[in-house]
Amino acid sequence: MELISDQWVDPYFDTEKWEYFDLSCKSRDVTNDQVLKDAVNAGKQIGSIFKEPTITPTAVQQKEMGLSQPLSSPNGAMRKGWSGITISRDTIHIEGVELGFKNPVLFERHAVGGEYGAGWKEVGAGQLLTTFVPEDGSPPVVVDTRTLDNECNVAVVYHNPYDNVPDLAHIFFKRCLEHKVSPYVVTKKTVFKWQEFFWIKMKEVFDRHYKNKFKQLGLLPADGELPHLISDAATMQIIRWLDGNFGMAAHNYDGDMLTDEVAQVHRSPGFITSNLIGKTEDGRLIKEFEASHGTVADLWNMHLEGKETSLNPLGMTEALIGAITHSAELEYDANRGDIEVQRRHAKILNWCTTLRQAIHNTFRYGQGTRDMSGPEGFTTEDFVAKVAWRLDRYLSMQEDEEPPVLSEPSREYLRQYNVDRDAVQAMFQKYDKDKSGTIDFDEFARMLVKLGVAPISKDVKENYKIDEMIDSSSSEGEQKA
């Protein structure tokens, strides 16, 4: 990431006010995870976050790294701290480069709940009772009771918070409309009966706010209803619907698995975006952007050993572009009357567009990393340098470019342009009645009539020719004169 910052960002922007938090395992361990808490609090205030890949260390990694304690998932802390609604993951496309899906595939993964926050215990034989105690003081409710016959059992408890599903639904359906793709809600509600509530809430929002809009665009099946897919079927359709142009919304775990499948069909996780969307207490959206491909540990280890690497940074770059764009939008929305903010907003958006163009063109010209261009592809450093050169050239061309003059090019030099200029001059003088060197409207109309190309008025009777009207009026005028 330092290469990208040094060569693509710092030459064009002052980043001194950016806030940085070291979320490496060592830093989290030394600070007793205070650095993660600080990052979450800062993200809530700023509203736009770019996150590099992080890891949740296993017991083996904890020992290898010399960590004093187990560390929880930083992503889980962020999703909880920012009241996570959804994780949007979309396919990235480069015009002229064939990947997996021909057209966009959108995905909304519920950002909270499910197995990720589960509590569990290894227990023996006996009775397992799950009880809910309402916070209003009303009597407890038994959620489940069962007899465990095995001597070795793992009891697991988790829940799915559904208050923010309507927010997820609005985000999902708006994005599907924007990209003109067909929406699908994915659950396993036929077996997991409790997932019915997710489907009900999604459909309520769809029917009330979006159904007619999707109908008008022809994005629904013949019955005009919101399609539902069983998660098993979704895994099959993802590898069949290679034309793309669809979106899916699912629970947390299903969304995690299905987006991994989308990534593999679309060549690699490097061609998928990942955007966590949360919300503050006052309703302001928080957006965190990261690459979906994780830490790419094998390439990092090669780098530490001094070996040559070829990392495709497209996913990280899209995350960086997303975070910078959202930050610019937040500032613009808060200062719409500020001319300086408007100029900065325009500059930032132009830089983002130009950077994306520079990267895409570098791939298109066969100068990509080795995952795209084969063994002869660029190393990590060479690819970043090539994009930096192209970005600088594109931006310089924009600064020096004169506004285009919108006029028809001269036809004099065309081979088939054999015009008798003397004859044209004679015709001009014939219709330039007052010898002024110009032709006014009446003279122009008379010329069109004589040439037989004058538009016919709808008010004229069918058998009464326009040229007869003009000739008649002309002779009357001459008689009067």
Side-chain angles (χ1 to χ4, degrees):
M1 194 60 210
E2 289 181 6
L3 288 173
I4 290 175
S5 296
D6 292 344
Q7 299 186 44
W8 297 358
V9 181
D10 292 345
Y12 309 100
F13 298 108
D14 180 4
T15 59
E16 287 187 0
K17 294 183 179 179
W18 288 14
E19 295 189 34
Y20 297 86
F21 298 88
D22 181 0
L23 298 184
S24 66
C25 293
K26 285 286 188 183
S27 174
R28 292 179 61 191
D29 188 57
V30 168
T31 63
N32 196 27
D33 235 4
Q34 185 61 46
V35 66
L36 177 59
K37 297 173 185 176
D38 293 343
V40 171
N41 289 331
K44 186 182 295 187
Q45 299 300 318
I46 297 170
S48 184
I49 304 99
F50 167 73
K51 175 180 169 292
E52 292 187 56
T54 54
I55 68 169
T56 303
T58 64
V60 173
Q61 290 173 321
Q62 178 186 342
K63 186 175 181 180
E64 290 176 346
M65 296 180 186
L67 305 179
S68 63
Q69 59 186 316
L71 295 175
S72 60
S73 166
N75 289 339
M78 292 174 180
R79 292 165 194 170
K80 182 178 179 180
W82 298 330
S83 301
I85 300 167
T86 181
I87 303 168
S88 302
R89 287 184 171 172
D90 303 342
T91 52
I92 300 171
H93 296 264
I94 302 174
E95 186 178 351
V97 177
E98 186 174 346
L99 297 170
F101 295 99
K102 294 181 181 178
N103 296 294
V105 174
L106 315 183
F107 214 107
E108 298 299 341
R109 168 190 168 190
H110 197 199
V112 291
E115 294 88 333
Y116 298 92
W120 63 276
K121 287 290 183 182
E122 182 183 353
V123 297
Q127 292 290 318
L128 178 65
L129 179 67
T130 306
T131 306
F132 167 70
V133 181
E135 67 177 5
D136 63 4
S138 54
V141 176
V142 175
V143 176
D144 182 71
T145 180
R146 63 185 62 205
T147 299
L148 307 182
D149 298 326
N150 283 230
E151 291 302 319
C152 181
N153 304 279
V154 175
V156 181
V157 180
Y158 66 84
H159 77 292
N160 279 284
Y162 282 159
D163 284 353
N164 65 4
V165 172
D167 287 333
L168 183 154
H170 283 293
I171 292 169
F172 176 55
F173 295 130
K174 284 178 181 177
R175 293 199 326 113
C176 285
L177 284 174
E178 177 186 353
H179 291 273
K180 294 182 174 58
V181 303
S182 298
Y184 294 84
V185 176
V186 179
T187 75
K188 186 78 169 177
K189 65 188 183 76
T190 51
V191 178
F192 302 147
K193 302 301 183 183
W194 48 268
Q195 291 193 357
E196 182 75 29
F197 297 98
F198 183 86
W199 162 252
I200 289 173
K201 287 181 175 290
M202 293 290 290
K203 194 171 187 308
E204 284 176 348
V205 172
F206 177 82
D207 289 344
R208 182 175 180 182
H209 299 281
Y210 300 99
K211 187 173 184 177
N212 291 333
K213 296 176 183 178
F214 278 98
K215 272 187 176 181
Q216 292 170 4
L217 292 174
L219 297 174
L220 297 178
D223 63 3
E225 297 296 327
L226 174 65
H228 174 269
L229 280 178
I230 299 300
S231 53
D232 310 59
T235 63
M236 296 297 102
Q237 301 297 20
I238 285 172
I239 62 176
R240 292 178 62 240
W241 293 346
L242 297 183
D243 279 343
N245 282 331
F246 65 88
M248 292 182 177
H251 281 89
N252 198 352
Y253 182 77
D254 282 350
D256 193 2
M257 297 299 101
L258 292 172
T259 52
D260 282 347
E261 184 183 8
V262 169
Q264 291 307 316
V265 173
H266 200 56
R267 194 150 185 166
S268 83
F271 291 94
I272 304 290
T273 65
S274 186
N275 169 210
L276 168 65
I277 302 177
K279 190 165 66 172
T280 61
E281 290 80 1
D282 60 1
R284 181 173 56 90
L285 289 183
I286 302 170
K287 292 188 178 183
E288 177 260 340
F289 301 81
E290 63 178 314
S292 67
H293 55 58
T295 53
V296 201
D298 55 341
L299 293 181
W300 175 246
N301 290 333
M302 289 173 61
H303 171 72
L304 294 179
E305 294 170 7
K307 297 180 180 178
E308 196 173 74
T309 64
S310 182
L311 172 65
N312 182 344
L314 184 60
M316 281 199 299
T317 306
E318 283 293 338
L320 179 65
I321 288 174
I324 291 176
T325 299
H326 185 57
S327 177
E329 296 292 352
L330 290 175
E331 183 188 37
Y332 180 80
D333 289 342
N335 303 275
R336 286 188 173 272
D338 191 320
I339 298 298
E340 186 58 35
V341 170
Q342 292 176 12
R343 289 173 179 166
R344 183 160 54 247
H345 176 262
K347 177 184 176 183
I348 291 172
L349 296 191
N350 180 68
W351 176 86
C352 291
T353 300
T354 307
L355 174 58
R356 184 178 285 118
Q357 180 188 15
I359 295 173
H360 288 194
N361 282 350
T362 303
F363 280 117
R364 272 195 288 264
Y365 298 154
Q367 300 167 338
T369 45
R370 290 168 188 167
D371 61 323
M372 294 291 290
S373 301
E376 303 302 319
F378 280 25
T379 64
T380 306
E381 293 81 4
D382 288 344
F383 180 80
V384 171
K386 177 59 72 173
V387 172
W389 169 81
R390 191 161 273 125
L391 173 63
D392 181 66
R393 189 163 66 92
Y394 288 174
L395 291 173
S396 297
M397 289 169 61
Q398 293 171 7
E399 292 175 0
D400 299 334
E401 192 176 73
E402 293 291 333
V405 178
L406 301 178
S407 61
E408 185 177 354
S410 173
R411 298 175 180 268
E412 288 191 46
Y413 302 103
L414 296 178
R415 294 180 190 173
Q416 65 270 34
Y417 193 80
N418 298 318
V419 176
D420 187 337
R421 299 182 66 86
D422 292 336
V424 170
Q425 181 68 25
M427 289 179 66
F428 178 84
Q429 292 175 350
K430 177 180 178 181
Y431 295 107
D432 180 18
K433 294 296 185 181
D434 59 3
K435 308 303 178 186
S436 64
T438 60
I439 296 178
D440 61 23
F441 179 79
D442 289 335
E443 292 169 338
F444 180 66
R446 197 182 309 278
M447 179 182 72
L448 294 181
V449 169
K450 289 295 184 181
L451 295 176
V453 295
I456 304 300
S457 172
K458 294 180 180 179
D459 296 332
V460 179
K461 294 180 180 180
E462 185 176 353
N463 297 323
Y464 194 41
K465 296 181 180 178
I466 186 69
D467 56 347
E468 293 175 353
M469 293 173 60
I470 297 292
D471 288 343
S472 173
S473 62
S474 298
S475 59
E476 289 177 3
E478 291 172 357
Q479 290 174 3
K480 290 179 181 178

